[in-house]
């Protein structure tokens, strides 16, 4: 399957994570990505966009780039901002605290995640990848990339 991409430029506002989730959800469903993969990727995307809105320290007016890529076997979401590039790690957080869990959530739900400088030298891209599965309606079959998930058996599987 040829990879499919979707890209959105969004303003840095408190509403941006919700917009990113809605655009992504609609796109992923149109690709036929299984609901459990969509849910995990949507959660990670929300955390990454929220981090970009809150912490990017980018100049006023700079937008956030959100990209989703589906190749039929894996799903990748990316969030690019103009904030300074730095190695990112999940923070140790206080159990009673309200902040500091975003990258830990991403690490928990994604198969892989990372950060890289943007090619033109301004900002960074934080990404997360997910093992893919398609819904039966999208391709006529069901497959799963998650350990422990039921797999089709019998003729044609």
């Amino acid at each position: 399957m040829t990879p499919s991409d979707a890209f959105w430029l969004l303003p840095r506002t408190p509403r941006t994570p919700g917009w990113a989730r809605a655009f992504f959800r609609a796109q992923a469903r149109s690709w036929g990505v299984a609901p459990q993969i969509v849910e995990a990727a949507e959660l990670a995307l929300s955390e990454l966009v929220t981090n970009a809105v809150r912490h990017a320290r980018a100049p006023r007016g700079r937008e956030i780039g959100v990209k989703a890529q589906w190749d039929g076997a894996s799903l990748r979401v990316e969030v690019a901002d103009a904030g300074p590039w730095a190695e990112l790690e999940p923070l140790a957080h206080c159990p009673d605290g309200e902040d500091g869990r975003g990258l830990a959530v991403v690490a928990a739900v994604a198969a892989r995640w990372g950060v890289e400088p943007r090619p033109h030298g301004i900002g960074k891209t934080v990404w997360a990848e997910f093992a893919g599965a398609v819904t039966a309606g999208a391709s006529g079959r069901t497959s799963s990339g998650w350990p422990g998930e039921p797999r089709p058996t019998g003729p044609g599987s």
Side-chain angles (χ1 to χ4, degrees):
M1 174 183 254
T2 303
S4 298
D5 291 349
F7 183 78
W8 305 277
L9 278 176
L10 303 172
R12 288 181 56 216
T13 74
R15 293 182 179 174
T16 302
W19 292 332
R21 286 191 306 269
F23 295 149
F24 167 75
R25 186 180 323 114
Q27 183 63 59
R29 287 183 179 156
S30 78
W31 287 334
V33 181
Q36 71 271 19
I37 306 299
V38 174
E39 289 174 17
E42 185 179 338
L43 176 58
L45 181 65
S46 184
E47 295 295 339
L48 297 177
V49 172
T50 298
N51 284 350
V53 168
R54 289 185 179 173
H55 306 296
R57 294 188 305 248
R60 184 174 290 280
R62 291 287 185 149
E63 295 175 309
I64 296 170
V66 176
K67 181 178 178 182
Q69 184 176 43
W70 169 246
D71 68 5
S74 64
L75 178 67
R76 179 178 170 117
V77 294
E78 300 178 0
V79 176
D81 64 56
W85 180 82
E87 291 290 334
L88 300 177
E89 293 184 26
L91 299 174
H93 67 277
C94 173
D96 297 332
E98 294 184 20
D99 293 329
R101 294 184 189 95
L103 291 178
V105 169
V106 173
V109 300
R112 296 180 345 128
W113 74 276
V115 61
E116 54 199 42
R118 291 175 62 201
H120 51 71
I122 298 174
K124 65 188 172 299
T125 299
V126 186
W127 52 268
E129 294 178 338
F130 303 84
V134 294
T135 59
S139 69
R141 63 180 178 83
T142 304
S143 65
S144 175
W146 292 97
E149 286 284 317
R151 299 202 184 276
T153 57
S157 59

